[in-house]
């Protein structure tokens, strides 16, 4: 799980995707590979449960099973927290590969939450992965950086590289003020894996605690299904803002 630009909601998408996969009876490990700027532990509510981290595993201070922490809001989701400061460790490509290989027999999915951008941490994470999901938002700066990341990913020989468009506003797409995910798919020449609408619930709640009647809950459920099956069903983010009543909803949303 990667992105070109920071702040696009990559970690929130990684966490909620992992939780939705687990609720489909899969065992999931989410590894925080954002060394030094980690926040997966906060998003999943395990920050006070962490004893060991990725660096401790790689450098032999603990076994991987000792470092993973079960997510309190979701059964069968385990978090492998990252190191808080790169100054205290030296994480190698070999060490990361061996760590993930050791965990692979325990889980159906290992989601690696990459650092934003194309730093060394990005390369370490991608080289250990089989597939990639690139998270972007409809903003021009985010799309430009996502395009750069997609160009790099094509050189890694991954089995699949797909796109997740986050924070889409159906009202703005319906009024022509925001690019649609389908337009973004064509522009970036990358197949969509999912669309996540702008939803305050993602901001206000830890992953796993989003209400089941919210738009983002439904969208993450579809994303997880697409990841599991390879399909491309997309959450309907725009129909309620189309037509006469949709125009009224757009006006109300704009004035709230």
């Amino acid at each position: 799980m990667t992105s070109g630009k920071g702040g696009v909601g990559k970690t929130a998408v990684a966490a909620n995707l992992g939780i939705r996969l687990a609720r489909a009876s899969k065992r999931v490990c989410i590894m925080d590979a954002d060394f030094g700027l980690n926040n997966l532990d906060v998003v999943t509510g395990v920050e006070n449960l962490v004893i060991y981290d990725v660096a401790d595993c790689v450098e032999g201070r603990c076994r991987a099973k000792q470092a993973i922490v079960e997510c309190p809001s979701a059964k069968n989701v385990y978090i492998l927290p990252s190191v808080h400061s790169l100054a205290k460790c030296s994480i190698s490509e070999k060490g990361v590969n061996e760590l993930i290989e050791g965990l692979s027999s325990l889980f159906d999915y290992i989601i690696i939450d990459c650092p934003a951008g194309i730093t060394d941490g990005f390369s370490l994470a991608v080289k250990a992965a089989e597939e990639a999901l690139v998270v972007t938002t409809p903003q021009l700066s985010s799309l430009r950086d996502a395009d750069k990341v997609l160009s790099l990913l094509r050189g890694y020989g991954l089995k699949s590289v797909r796109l997740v468009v986050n924070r889409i506003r159906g009202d703005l797409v319906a009024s022509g003020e925001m690019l649609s995910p389908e337009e973004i798919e064509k522009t970036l020449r990358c197949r969509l894996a999912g669309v996540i609408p702008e939803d305050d619930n993602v901001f206000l709640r830890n992953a796993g605690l989003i209400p089941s009647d919210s738009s983002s809950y439904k969208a993450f459920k579809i994303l997880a299904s697409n990841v599991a099956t390879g399909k491309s069903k997309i959450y309907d983010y725009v129909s309620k803002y189309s037509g006469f009543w949709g125009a009224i909803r757009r006006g109300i949303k704009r004035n709230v």
Side-chain angles (χ1 to χ4, degrees):
M1 184 75 67
T2 185
S3 68
K5 186 178 184 295
V8 300
K10 171 181 54 60
T11 297
V13 172
N16 282 288
L17 169 60
I19 288 169
R20 287 308 321 171
L21 287 168
R23 287 177 178 167
S25 301
K26 304 296 182 182
R27 282 178 60 85
V28 180
C29 177
I30 312 175
M31 171 182 167
D32 193 342
D34 195 349
F35 309 123
L37 292 173
N38 53 308
N39 58 21
L40 179 64
D41 56 341
V42 176
V43 170
T44 53
V46 304
E47 68 271 27
N48 294 325
L49 304 176
V50 174
I51 298 174
Y52 298 109
D53 57 36
V54 170
D56 294 315
C57 296
V58 172
E59 297 180 353
R61 289 186 288 272
C62 75
R63 296 165 60 195
K65 287 184 179 181
Q66 293 175 286
I68 57 176
V69 181
E70 187 168 13
C71 181
S73 60
K75 185 179 179 181
N76 287 331
V77 178
Y78 295 84
I79 309 303
L80 181 54
S82 184
V83 57
H84 288 277
S85 173
L86 274 176
K88 77 173 225 183
C89 70
S90 176
I91 298 177
S92 66
E93 178 184 331
K94 180 181 178 182
V96 172
N97 287 341
E98 289 178 348
L99 174 59
I100 292 175
E101 184 177 347
L103 289 170
S104 62
S105 63
L106 303 175
F107 297 98
D108 297 300
Y109 290 94
I110 298 176
I111 299 174
I112 309 170
D113 184 22
C114 285
I118 51 177
T119 61
D120 290 342
F122 166 85
S123 181
L124 285 175
V126 175
K127 286 179 179 178
E130 296 179 349
E131 303 177 44
L133 291 175
V134 179
V135 181
T136 187
T137 64
Q139 295 158 320
L140 180 59
S141 59
S142 178
L143 295 176
R144 183 175 62 181
D145 289 347
D147 188 42
K148 294 175 183 176
V149 167
L150 286 167
S151 296
L152 287 173
L153 288 173
R154 292 182 182 111
Y156 280 91
L158 296 168
K159 293 179 182 178
S160 170
V161 178
R162 299 178 70 183
L163 192 66
V164 178
V165 179
N166 193 28
R167 296 178 179 165
I168 198 74
R169 287 271 302 271
D171 59 319
L172 295 182
V173 173
S175 64
E177 297 174 83
M178 176 180 281
L179 285 173
S180 71
E182 292 79 8
E183 290 171 322
I184 294 171
E185 180 181 43
K186 292 178 181 178
T187 300
L188 296 180
R189 302 178 303 282
C190 184
R191 185 177 167 215
L192 277 171
V195 173
I196 310 298
E198 181 73 52
D199 185 356
D200 289 345
N201 284 297
V202 178
F203 172 76
L204 294 172
R205 293 172 171 82
N206 284 343
L209 299 177
I210 296 173
S212 59
D213 60 349
S214 67
S215 58
S216 59
Y217 181 96
K218 298 169 186 174
F220 280 121
K221 186 175 181 180
I222 292 172
L223 172 61
S225 176
N226 288 343
V227 168
T229 63
K231 295 181 180 179
S232 295
K233 182 181 178 181
I234 300 302
Y235 172 75
D236 184 0
Y237 58 90
V238 74
S239 63
K240 71 177 181 178
Y241 296 110
S242 302
F244 175 76
W245 293 111
I248 293 176
R249 291 190 187 97
R250 295 201 304 270
I252 293 173
K253 188 172 182 65
R254 189 179 294 273
N255 291 316
V256 169

